[in-house]
Amino acid sequence: MNIKFVFIVLGLFFILPSKIIFAENDRPRARDIGLQIGTIQPGILNAITDVQGVKVGHYTANIGDDVRTGVTAIIPSDHNLYLNPIPAWIHVGNGYGKAVGETQVREFGEIETPIILTCTLCVWTAANALKNWQLSKPGEGQHTLNPIVGETNDSNVNNMWSENTIKMEYVYEALNTAKSGPVAEGSIGAGRGTQAFGWKGGIGTSSRVLPMSLGGYTVGVLVQTNFGGDLVMNGAPVGRELNQYSFKKQLEEARLEKLPSDGGSIMIVVATDAPILSRNLDRLAKRAMMGLARSGSVAHNSSGDYVIAFSTNKDVRRDRASREPVPSKTLTNVAMSPLFQATVEATQEAIYNALLKATTVSSSRGVLEAINIDKVKTILEKYNVTNFDQKLPPRKLKHN
Amino acid sequence: MNIKFVFIVLGLFFILPSKIIFAENDRPRARDIGLQIGTIQPGILNAITDVQGVKVGHYTANIGDDVRTGVTAIIPSDHNLYLNPIPAWIHVGNGYGKAVGETQVREFGEIETPIILTCTLCVWTAANALKNWQLSKPGEGQHTLNPIVGETNDSNVNNMWSENTIKMEYVYEALNTAKSGPVAEGSIGAGRGTQAFGWKGGIGTSSRVLPMSLGGYTVGVLVQTNFGGDLVMNGAPVGRELNQYSFKKQLEEARLEKLPSDGGSIMIVVATDAPILSRNLDRLAKRAMMGLARSGSVAHNSSGDYVIAFSTNKDVRRDRASREPVPSKTLTNVAMSPLFQATVEATQEAIYNALLKATTVSSSRGVLEAINIDKVKTILEKYNVTNFDQKLPPRKLKHN
Amino acid sequence: MNIKFVFIVLGLFFILPSKIIFAENDRPRARDIGLQIGTIQPGILNAITDVQGVKVGHYTANIGDDVRTGVTAIIPSDHNLYLNPIPAWIHVGNGYGKAVGETQVREFGEIETPIILTCTLCVWTAANALKNWQLSKPGEGQHTLNPIVGETNDSNVNNMWSENTIKMEYVYEALNTAKSGPVAEGSIGAGRGTQAFGWKGGIGTSSRVLPMSLGGYTVGVLVQTNFGGDLVMNGAPVGRELNQYSFKKQLEEARLEKLPSDGGSIMIVVATDAPILSRNLDRLAKRAMMGLARSGSVAHNSSGDYVIAFSTNKDVRRDRASREPVPSKTLTNVAMSPLFQATVEATQEAIYNALLKATTVSSSRGVLEAINIDKVKTILEKYNVTNFDQKLPPRKLKHN
Amino acid sequence: MNIKFVFIVLGLFFILPSKIIFAENDRPRARDIGLQIGTIQPGILNAITDVQGVKVGHYTANIGDDVRTGVTAIIPSDHNLYLNPIPAWIHVGNGYGKAVGETQVREFGEIETPIILTCTLCVWTAANALKNWQLSKPGEGQHTLNPIVGETNDSNVNNMWSENTIKMEYVYEALNTAKSGPVAEGSIGAGRGTQAFGWKGGIGTSSRVLPMSLGGYTVGVLVQTNFGGDLVMNGAPVGRELNQYSFKKQLEEARLEKLPSDGGSIMIVVATDAPILSRNLDRLAKRAMMGLARSGSVAHNSSGDYVIAFSTNKDVRRDRASREPVPSKTLTNVAMSPLFQATVEATQEAIYNALLKATTVSSSRGVLEAINIDKVKTILEKYNVTNFDQKLPPRKLKHN
């Protein structure tokens, strides 16, 4: 009651600080319950912010009885992205979505704005806001701009057709409060109203740091989950154990009148400090889809699955106006495989983090229940997939 | 006896019948050791030939001390494929390969020849042979032709630089002996010299049949494995248990002088009787990469990962010369998700079948050891991933 | 003065009827001055509306001293496009633009809304408006929607950074007033502030009707020109004759301090009643770039050149919710070449129509002068490129 | 008579030196009859070999009464292309062709062998030969290789189904005799049996050199023409004047029983010394299609139109085995437009050179007549499109 009242009051100011609500979220991340994904070590924060310079900001909109949505901003770097765009690529895993800005990224191989994630029908307002925000920065003039905005459909609990759903102020707030350091996960920001595998999903993040012998680069991933499938955690068939998986009824019974929606989407943002250009970022982005696959997705028809990848390395950053050849230093193709593996692993783990950290969200439109952590633990034990560092043949790690 | 003798004699002439050598292979397929992948039921043969009309033929070349290669032919249908091409697509998961015929498939959305798989430097000779074979059929005239040939690099045990490696006759033989029914798997045909995850790999196949409530269509997959990664079987970390996984040394130790090859490739052929055209076959093909991901691959830089998908459905077959609109019946996008899942599952299982059925192959160039079945079983038990039908919540299957 | 006053008054109502201003435009279209492009006959209107069912609406915003922009709406058909999407494709000739909606079109091969053209930084507001407009139609429910919005940069005369530049009402008005019949061309709608080859450009349209022996189909093209290059009209080097062409100074002189902007873009909408699906619409769309080339463009780096192609044929229209195979009738690849040629020709002619019909537009930001018709005529005579029907070997046309 | 006899005698040795036959070809190139295409100056040779280091070699096969084909080799540079691949891209304008090697170029963004052009069904033998040739070079070991081979269909006069059509020796000879300096054009090498717009076509080449103020880079183009359309020369409608254009009969008359083949293809090789990587080479390659459009093509359905673009600049060349970041210097996007224009112009002019230089070729299969130069001149005069330097407003050229 009290909390709901606080929501409404704060809602009038259109500024709902996420930290108040979410600071106390003590649900575990994947590693907290012993899930160790893959063989490469995560970074210190196990978050996209392990890639130096990357900042993340959330704005969560929890207004009235039917607005449960928000905005998550990813700022690749504090420098002026328009004057010095950074190498980037957008890979379309399954293009049932409204991602804004894709064609220019694929033509120029770079992004010139931060990245905003939000709800599906909110993307155009968010694009307007991102444009305003960036053009108001010092040194910006009158030029075009290619805002990058991704989305998933949170209409299970959010009325995205309401005019109140998204305000430009939310975008400004997410951008202005973006910071390095730990990243809040779960039912927050653009993940406020989204799901995953039928449970509450949201924002999740993870990272990998290659050993020095493989280059020492960091790959960080942040996801906004909203997809379906048969949840598998490090191999354990959690979705099937909990009787929640794709086409369950059809697989059991005879012809049904109506198919359930197979919907859902995922936005995946991949950041790296490896010095690579758009072509290899494209290849990196494609691998994020393989991490998605390992969590149990088959990229359903109605899923908008997009991967936005960029490099923060200064050796590949270019003055957009230069008419002279610009020096750069880039990795060759043969150095890419460890980065591919890092991307797969971090994507898979970011998805688990989103699912595990997400708390139940309800509205007049419905309820998305958080997955039961105890049940998950029991299943992970049954399939013996926790604490691999102890169970598998030892590795004498001399990390970096 | 007589027959065997004739074979041996012919073998000297570069005609070595595969059935004699491989008939007695009693290694298990995935389901024989309790691996049940996914939720959709396989077809009767659990093979690409469950898709009606599809035929597979092998020719295995095991010559002298350094030729360990072969040819596998997939014939989508017995009708004249040139006059009535069938809808098809080639998806390039990672394009480090010599796949022949890709551009025309992507322009016209169809294939007009059978598909040949063989060794890397053998593709051009194989393309010449496939062209000859098809143009010599009754009713063919003087026209161009777009042969489809895929490959993986079997040079661990095969001297693919030798002029003896591949003969056009091998291709003719594989095509002429192609048949419906069970498909021989393992170290046979184009899988004679290939690997998987560091063990002997080869040819594998699997299928899925959708329940009638999801359309009742069949998806069949055949793979030629040659890739690396961290083998995972239905979730169980087999590769790590057996101390064989990517970047093992780098992940344990300090900077090394030299990176090992991360190599390997996979050719994936996806057949379906669902009435879909090239655009949805493209989408289907992309999902095969998700099945690959689940087996433990991250699509290494040096891996040529290609998916060739086609539909055998007669309602989408067209007279190439027609200048009038041609009637067809096709599924809409919303009906695709179950086919996506079927493709993911069948691809994953086909890979396991290739690995499990493969027998050790050695030559003067080296040895590729078959994976130890007993060790695999022990690991699967440790991770409790066999016989899901008994361990997971029951499904009351009323299949079709 | 008076006119300016009228603008301001009307501007207050945000409804500036284009017919008042533009009805009297008596500048010629290409054919009026003897330019006969190609060999295929145009339709009766020589406009995109020759494709049955296609409607076009303009809203022109001429407000204050710095808003010179507008909206052009193309409605492919009056039926509910969401419930029965039509086959479509977006081809990105050069992706320096903000086209909205591209990824879903390329995934599903269809569009589910009308198409809006407007100014660059106006696209997101226009997308919001198009979404609202369509969702407010009878029978629409709460679902997502993929609005298609294209743009070119009219900032030579338009302050597209002003909050007043674009209002959602403009989009509604363009959509609500869209009609079949003749299409107003020139400095109208989304062409209000755009240029072409350095002169005033705008909206132009043209069509082609194949003879019955080639299928009898119609192809209609509408362009929003804003690009640069060396204008060539049916071969005559008009741009060079008038001393206006790319890199003029650099080609004459030594190193300059600063390169001029090579900017500009073009949006090309291609409609046809031929029964073809997205793959062949993609191929058709690519040919529009060849028509663009013939007018003198080389698709400069800073040009956003997009082609949106769709088919209005009812035999390829599908119920999006159907889970059963849907019957259709489609042309095979071999029937495409005449449609390709029709697209090339209509695109080239539509560009000339935009340029010739455009009237001078000025604002506090600058002036875009209309090309001088008399000078054009003189040049066309010099190069003898008018009235080909009389000068070239006779054709005994038995059109349809 | 004599000449024919010489052919037969030499044919027996399978080595037919092109210089003997073609040295005396005194047909004009485009500029010799006053055709000045575009605004940028050509290089000294007006050939692809103006790009430093590029070599071209031809082998012409004129054997018996039905073999009229050949091989043209383009060697980008004398260094070891496998160890230090060069940036490259293959753009598929219309993919009805058998181009070999495309997928790897698009994955790695580079080529590792010379480029071979030949006849359609000859590509696989040519690929085998190119592989052998390169692997036999000093320093090469046992590795895979991605030969690049393009083709057009010369079956109007060549029996490409004959086993005698192509020999591996032809490829070796073309590679071994490749040289810098002037490039023989017309009915030579891979252009021996090809057509253009219904007349004899073949090999043509042209180049452009940017003024220093635009970077001073060179773009060279070589084409193997075999396509159809309505020939336009610098705007003059030559095809229509000579009553040879697409769909002539259908456009004049009622429904016909049978459509003529609209066939034909073009291979376009674009070389530059500008320091650009694969993404910008892709963009460059796309512009070659715009040059093709200007000559009168609409890229017919049955045309295989491919563009292979590469950069010879040493600042973008990389050691393929390096695992450390490799320094390079590359142009930014904003510097690309002049290179785009150079590519369009050189492609258009190379096509005219192929057509004008080509001599009549006949065989038992048919005759391809060379276009009549006098008639062409008369038409060019009628349309006043020659010697633009004198007729158009003067440019004070201070070239470089």
Side-chain angles (χ1 to χ4, degrees), chain A residues 38 94 212-213 240 245 250 252 255 262 283 287 293-294 296-297 299 301 333 337 383-384 395-397, chain B residues 38 94 212-213 240 245 251-252 255 262 283 287 293-294 296-297 299 301 333 337 383-384 395-396:
Chain A
N94 191 57
M212 287 310 291
S213 59
R240 291 175 68 191
Y245 54 93
Q250 292 81 353
E252 288 182 3
R255 179 172 293 277
D262 56 10
R283 302 174 79 204
R287 270 64 184 186
R294 291 182 178 188
S297 167
N301 173 70
N333 293 316
S337 291
Y383 294 95
N384 198 23
R395 294 198 288 157
K396 26 181 173 138
L397 295 174
Chain B
N94 191 57
M212 286 311 290
S213 59
R240 291 176 67 191
Y245 54 94
L251 289 167
E252 288 182 2
R255 180 170 291 278
D262 57 10
R283 303 174 79 203
R287 269 63 184 185
R294 292 182 178 187
S297 168
N301 174 71
N333 294 316
S337 290
Y383 293 95
N384 198 23
R395 294 198 289 157
K396 26 181 172 137

Side-chain angles (χ1 to χ4, degrees), chain B residues 292-366:
Chain B
L292 174 63
R294 292 182 178 187
S295 75
S297 168
V298 300
H300 283 151
N301 174 71
S302 63
S303 199
D305 300 342
Y306 296 78
V307 189
I308 305 168
F310 60 83
S311 168
T312 62
N313 192 293
K314 288 180 185 172
D315 288 342
V316 290
R317 198 173 291 174
R318 305 197 296 179
D319 171 3
R320 86 180 292 137
S322 172
R323 304 222 172 234
E324 299 299 320
V326 176
S328 62
K329 276 183 157 185
T330 53
L331 291 177
T332 62
N333 294 316
V334 292
M336 291 303 298
S337 290
L339 292 164
F340 291 168
Q341 181 157 333
T343 304
V344 173
E345 293 184 3
T347 302
Q348 186 180 1
E349 186 162 336
I351 290 167
Y352 297 152
N353 284 339
L355 180 72
L356 293 169
K357 290 295 287 184
T359 46
T360 299
V361 169
S362 62
S363 78
S364 59
R365 299 180 64 85

Side-chain angles (χ1 to χ4, degrees), chain D residues 43-45 47-56 74-79 81 86 179-181 207-209 216-221 270-274 310-314 317:
Chain D
I44 292 173
L45 301 167
I48 196 171
T49 43
D50 283 321
V51 179
Q52 206 191 338
V54 175
K55 294 179 173 181
V56 175
I74 298 98
I75 303 182
S77 162
D78 271 341
H79 79 277
L81 290 166
I86 60 174
K179 60 184 195 305
S180 53
S207 72
R208 289 296 181 275
V209 181
Y217 304 110
T218 299
V219 173
V221 172
V270 180
T272 186
D273 58 3
F310 59 83
S311 169
T312 62
N313 192 295
K314 288 180 184 171
R317 198 173 291 172

Side-chain angles (χ1 to χ4, degrees), chain A residues 101-164:
Chain A
E102 184 250 8
T103 64
Q104 184 173 321
V105 175
R106 293 168 77 110
E107 186 72 38
F108 281 0
E110 57 202 21
I111 55 174
E112 58 193 36
T113 73
I115 297 158
I116 294 292
L117 307 179
T118 185
C119 79
T120 300
L121 295 182
C122 308
V123 291
W124 308 295
T125 297
N128 265 330
L130 177 52
K131 180 250 306 176
N132 290 346
W133 182 83
Q134 180 142 336
L135 288 181
S136 69
K137 300 188 89 173
E140 294 282 346
Q142 283 194 338
H143 54 70
T144 68
L145 200 67
N146 188 48
I148 308 296
V149 186
E151 50 76 30
T152 67
N153 183 338
D154 52 15
S155 63
N156 282 314
V157 293
N158 181 46
N159 181 358
M160 66 178 180
W161 298 269
S162 157
E163 296 217 351
N164 294 318

